C-alpha cells in the first residue's frame, strides 16, 4: 500500500518511476518553528483541504466553537453570509445551543463584488448578490458569523438588508482576529490605512457598520483552534515518522505584526 502524506515545509522530494524519495528537509534558521500561514485556515483554503493532517472545515468549526466561548450573546438564531463562514457558524450555534438558520441565499447570476469599479457599485452589488429569507428571521435577534472583516464595506449593506427585512437585532461575530498588518509573504492584504482595524471607526465598529455588537475571535483562540488536534495527533504518530515532525508554528504576522523572518528593506 502507498503512504500518502503532505510535503513538509522545506522538504525536497524526488519523484521518479521507481519511487518517491525525500532528498532533504531544510530546517528554518536557528531551528525556529515552521510558520504556516494561519489565514489559510481562516479564509483562503477550500474547506476540504488537509493541512498539517487536519481538515480545514474542522478547524473553522472549532474557531466557531471557541468564538461562542469567548463572545456569547442573547439571541434567537445563528446564521452567516453564505457560505465561507458556514463551518464557523455551525460550530458557534452548536456550542451556544442556538439553531443555525439560513437568512440569506446566494443569487448565482450576479458577478463578483470586489471587481466593481467603485464603492457604491460594490455595495449595490452586495445587496443584489443575496436573496433574503425573511420568514426565517422576522422579529428575531440574529447572530451573523463572518470569517473576517477586512475593510468593513461588505458587511454594512448586509446588516442594512437584514434590518429592513425585519431582523430585530443583528450581532456580528468574526471567527478570526482583526487584520492589522500587511503581509510580506505573498498574500495581497490591503495597505495598513485601508484595514478597518487601523481606522478610527474601529473604536465604534458596531455603530459604523450598523450592528448591535461586533466581537472578533482572539489571536490565542485562533491559534488554539488550529493547533489543538495537531498536538493530539503528534502524540500518536509512529516512531518511524517522528523525524518528520518540526516544531509547531504558524505565521500570525497580519494579526500581531510578529513576522517569522527579519524584514530587510
Amino acid at each position: 500500500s502507498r503512504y500518502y502524506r503532505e510535503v513538509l515545509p522545506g522538504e525536497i522530494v524526488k519523484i521518479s518511476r521507481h519511487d518517491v524519495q525525500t532528498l532533504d528537509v531544510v530546517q528554518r534558521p536557528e531551528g525556529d518553528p515552521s510558520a504556516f500561514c494561519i489565514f489559510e485556515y481562516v479564509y483562503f483554503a477550500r474547506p476540504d483541504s488537509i493541512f498539517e493532517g487536519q481538515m480545514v472545515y474542522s478547524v473553522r468549526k472549532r474557531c466557531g466553537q471557541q468564538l461562542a466561548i469567548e463572545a456569547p450573546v442573547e439571541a434567537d438564531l445563528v446564521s452567516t453570509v453564505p457560505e465561507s463562514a458556514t463551518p464557523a457558524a455551525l460550530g458557534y450555534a452548536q456550542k451556544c445551543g442556538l439553531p443555525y438558520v439560513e437568512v440569506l441565499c446566494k443569487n448565482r447570476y450576479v458577478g463578483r463584488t470586489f471587481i466593481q469599479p467603485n464603492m457604491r457599485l460594490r455595495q449595490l452589488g452586495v445587496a443584489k448578490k443575496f436573496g433574503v429569507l425573511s420568514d426565517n428571521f422576522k422579529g428575531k435577534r440574529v447572530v451573523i458569523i463572518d470569517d473576517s472583516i477586512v475593510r468593513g464595506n461588505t458587511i454594512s449593506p448586509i446588516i442594512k438588508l437584514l434590518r429592513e427585512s425585519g431582523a430585530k437585532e443583528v450581532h456580528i461575530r468574526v471567527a478570526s482576529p482583526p487584520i492589522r498588518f500587511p503581509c510580506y509573504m505573498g498574500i495581497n492584504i490591503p495597505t495598513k490605512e485601508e484595514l478597518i482595524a487601523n481606522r478610527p471607526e474601529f473604536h465604534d465598529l458596531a455603530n459604523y457598520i450598523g450592528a448591535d455588537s461586533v466581537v472578533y475571535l482572539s489571536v490565542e483562540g485562533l491559534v488554539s483552534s488550529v493547533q489543538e488536534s495537531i498536538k493530539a495527533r503528534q502524540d500518536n504518530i509512529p516512531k518511524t515518522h517522528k523525524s518528520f515532525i518540526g516544531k509547531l508554528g504558524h505565521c500570525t504576522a497580519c494579526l500581531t505584526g510578529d513576522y517569522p523572518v527579519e524584514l530587510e528593506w
Side-chain angles (χ1 to χ4, degrees):
S1 70
R2 296 179 180 203
Y3 172 63
Y4 290 104
R5 63 169 174 79
E6 296 168 75
V7 176
L8 299 164
E11 184 179 9
I12 301 166
V13 178
K14 180 185 173 190
I15 301 171
S16 69
R17 275 181 310 178
H18 311 293
D19 60 3
V20 178
Q21 284 179 327
T22 295
L23 300 185
D24 195 9
V25 179
V26 182
Q27 294 301 323
R28 292 245 295 132
E30 291 151 39
D32 286 344
S34 65
F36 185 87
C37 169
I38 210 155
F39 238 73
E40 288 282 2
Y41 284 110
V42 169
Y43 184 75
F44 295 120
R46 273 172 38 164
D48 58 336
S49 302
I50 308 257
F51 294 142
E52 303 176 298
Q54 59 185 344
M55 191 178 281
V56 169
Y57 185 100
S58 305
V59 173
R60 289 178 184 166
K61 197 169 181 188
R62 279 203 300 276
C63 287
Q65 291 168 333
Q66 179 62 26
L67 188 56
I69 294 166
E70 292 182 15
V73 62
E74 288 281 315
D76 302 304
L77 60 99
V78 175
S79 196
T80 185
V81 181
E83 60 241 355
S84 54
T86 302
L90 287 165
Y92 188 97
Q94 194 179 43
K95 197 77 177 171
C96 284
L98 290 170
Y100 171 81
V101 178
E102 291 180 325
V103 298
L104 297 167
C105 62
K106 239 178 179 171
N107 178 352
R108 65 187 67 191
Y109 309 109
V110 176
R112 304 299 296 261
T113 53
F114 71 87
I115 54 175
Q116 297 291 356
N118 65 43
M119 185 66 64
R120 179 83 190 107
L121 278 175
R122 264 211 295 269
Q123 292 183 331
L124 274 172
V126 167
K128 280 193 304 196
K129 201 169 162 179
F130 298 104
V132 185
L133 306 171
S134 49
D135 280 4
N136 290 358
F137 63 86
K138 213 169 261 180
K140 294 188 174 161
R141 301 165 300 174
V142 182
V143 186
I144 296 287
I145 309 295
D146 208 345
D147 45 24
S148 59
I149 296 179
V150 180
R151 290 187 182 91
N153 302 328
T154 311
I155 196 77
S156 296
I158 285 166
I159 296 167
K160 192 164 178 274
L161 204 57
L162 294 175
R163 286 201 192 282
E164 286 168 357
S165 305
K168 189 176 168 190
E169 293 175 12
V170 182
H171 298 273
I172 304 294
R173 294 292 177 271
V174 190
S176 64
I179 299 177
R180 298 177 187 274
F181 301 90
C183 175
Y184 300 108
M185 266 60 74
I187 300 300
N188 186 15
I189 286 173
T191 59
K192 246 180 155 173
E193 294 70 40
E194 283 181 87
L195 297 167
I196 190 72
N198 294 328
R199 296 176 66 84
E201 296 88 345
F202 192 69
H203 301 299
D204 190 5
L205 186 56
N207 188 42
Y208 177 66
I209 64 173
D212 288 279
S213 69
V214 183
V215 187
Y216 286 80
L217 183 63
S218 67
V219 175
E220 302 72 39
L222 173 61
V223 171
S224 71
S225 300
V226 166
Q227 294 187 353
E228 182 186 305
S229 79
I230 304 175
K231 285 176 177 165
R233 211 177 28 264
Q234 282 188 354
D235 298 338
N236 300 320
I237 285 180
K239 283 195 173 67
T240 47
H241 295 109
K242 288 280 186 199
S243 61
F244 287 125
I245 301 174
K247 281 193 223 159
L248 200 54
H250 292 89
C251 179
T252 60
C254 61
L255 314 171
T256 60
D258 183 10
Y259 293 93
V261 288
E262 286 291 314
L263 299 175
E264 293 173 17
W265 304 112

